[in-house]
Amino acid sequence: MRRHFARAWRAAYAITGRREAADDAVQDAFERVFRTLDRFDDARPLAPWLHRIVVNCALSGLRGAARTRSLSQTLSAGPLSDPHLRASVSEALEAMSTLDADKRAVVALRLLLGYTSKETAEILGTTEGTIHSRLSRALEQMRVALGVHDV
């Protein structure tokens, strides 16, 4: 748990945009992992299996409760000290919050956690082609939300 907690929490936070929701999602995910550990194929790596559970818990949390605070409100209370960096991160996370849950999960896994398209597809139970198209659409939607135009 100590080895995987930080990355699991970052994934949950990237999807939910709220610290409390990320905490809940990670707690739920670790509880599920411990309950179903006997079903885990130990010939495979643990991290993708764990992150799939974390993503599913985070997405369930999004579906189950309306967001009460914006990402920028949550982030402004955080540890980022440079106001310019905080503004950039805040704007990017706000743009990410405009995405539907499926696109948000792809962005979190691919760009924030660094999984390959193949790994992301396995974690989300879909195809690589779907991952590519969701990521492309998500990035375009985020560009529009940020007011970034191709040069």
Side-chain angles (χ1 to χ4, degrees):
M1 184 174 152
R2 283 184 214 128
R3 179 185 299 164
H4 297 283
F5 180 82
R7 285 187 80 201
W9 191 88
R10 283 193 306 267
Y13 180 77
I15 292 167
T16 64
R18 293 180 36 237
R19 292 172 193 267
E20 301 84 11
D23 291 343
D24 290 344
V26 171
Q27 181 177 341
D28 291 346
F30 276 106
E31 287 175 7
R32 288 182 190 181
V33 164
F34 289 123
R35 278 195 317 263
T36 60
L37 202 52
D38 60 329
R39 290 186 254 162
F40 174 66
D41 177 2
D42 60 1
R44 300 180 65 136
L46 178 68
W49 180 65
L50 169 65
H51 286 125
R52 180 178 190 159
I53 294 170
V54 169
V55 166
N56 288 341
C57 289
L59 292 173
S60 293
L62 280 180
R63 290 183 203 107
R67 297 183 63 201
T68 57
R69 290 174 32 162
S70 73
L71 287 169
S72 61
Q73 289 172 319
T74 302
L75 192 62
S76 66
L80 295 174
S81 59
D82 181 347
H84 299 296
L85 178 60
R86 184 172 48 237
S88 307
V89 171
S90 177
E91 290 168 359
L93 289 173
E94 277 299 323
M96 192 172 162
S97 75
T98 68
L99 304 174
D100 64 45
D102 290 333
K103 290 177 191 162
R104 198 179 305 179
V106 170
V107 170
L109 290 168
R110 287 282 291 125
L111 302 182
L112 299 178
L113 294 177
Y115 281 104
T116 66
S117 294
K118 181 179 180 181
E119 291 167 331
T120 302
E122 289 174 7
I123 290 169
L124 296 177
T126 190
T127 66
E128 282 186 74
T130 299
I131 297 304
H132 290 294
S133 66
R134 284 182 187 167
L135 183 59
S136 176
R137 289 182 185 131
L139 293 176
E140 180 56 31
Q141 188 175 337
M142 289 177 68
R143 279 187 210 98
V144 170
L146 291 168
V148 175
H149 304 286
D150 290 337
V151 179

